[in-house]
Amino acid sequence: MQSYTIGQAARLLGVSPDTARRWADAGRVATHRDEAGRRLIDGRALAAFSIEVGQSAGSEDEDPYTSARNAFPGIVTAVKLGDVAAQVEIQAGPHRLVSLLTREAVEELGLEVGMQATARVKSTSVHIDRT
């Protein structure tokens, strides 16, 4: 499973690295250290935490997370596979995006909970890019 540095997690959550570090220091999200001593957050733990942050974002007086040109970088929080179709959820800062696409596309991209991805919105369609 992919792990994220504090800086990467901060970008995915739409907050500053200092905020992400304070959350980790307070035990709101678990971290571990790699061989080089860097603090990392497990992808699944970050996915779960991003849902919590996204749900509470509306209650805080912070500027909303914005994206340039309708691209929402975030973390995959759910993948539901059917026989032909699939549903992928991404938490991009306070934004929860849901895309319906083919199972084949999800498998080709290798999408799974905890990995980084970008949702691209055009009109009423949401497209997922693996990053």
Side-chain angles (χ1 to χ4, degrees):
M1 172 52 51
Q2 185 169 352
S3 292
Y4 298 90
T5 64
I6 296 288
Q8 290 170 323
R11 185 173 58 79
L12 293 170
L13 294 169
V15 299
S16 72
D18 286 337
T19 297
R21 197 171 294 108
R22 281 193 300 272
W23 286 343
D25 290 344
R28 289 189 62 191
V29 62
T31 63
H32 63 279
R33 295 207 181 259
D34 66 5
E35 306 81 36
R38 295 180 306 167
R39 288 192 345 182
L40 301 175
I41 302 171
D42 174 74
R44 288 191 183 276
L46 183 58
F49 183 65
S50 70
I51 292 170
E52 176 188 327
V53 170
Q55 290 172 343
S56 66
S59 63
E60 298 175 10
D61 292 331
E62 296 178 3
D63 291 332
Y65 180 75
T66 62
S67 68
R69 298 168 43 183
N70 299 326
F72 294 85
I75 187 165
V76 176
T77 57
V79 176
K80 299 174 186 168
L81 297 174
D83 291 337
V84 176
Q87 178 178 313
V88 176
E89 295 182 25
I90 292 180
Q91 192 72 39
H95 308 290
R96 176 180 166 262
L97 297 121
V98 180
S99 179
L100 301 175
L101 56 165
T102 65
R103 178 186 181 120
E104 181 181 10
V106 171
E107 290 171 346
E108 284 179 4
L109 290 170
L111 295 175
E112 59 183 48
V113 172
M115 77 181 334
Q116 187 175 346
T118 300
R120 296 194 187 276
V121 180
K122 181 181 178 198
S123 212
T124 59
S125 300
V126 177
H127 303 267
I128 306 295
D129 294 342
R130 180 175 175 178
T131 51

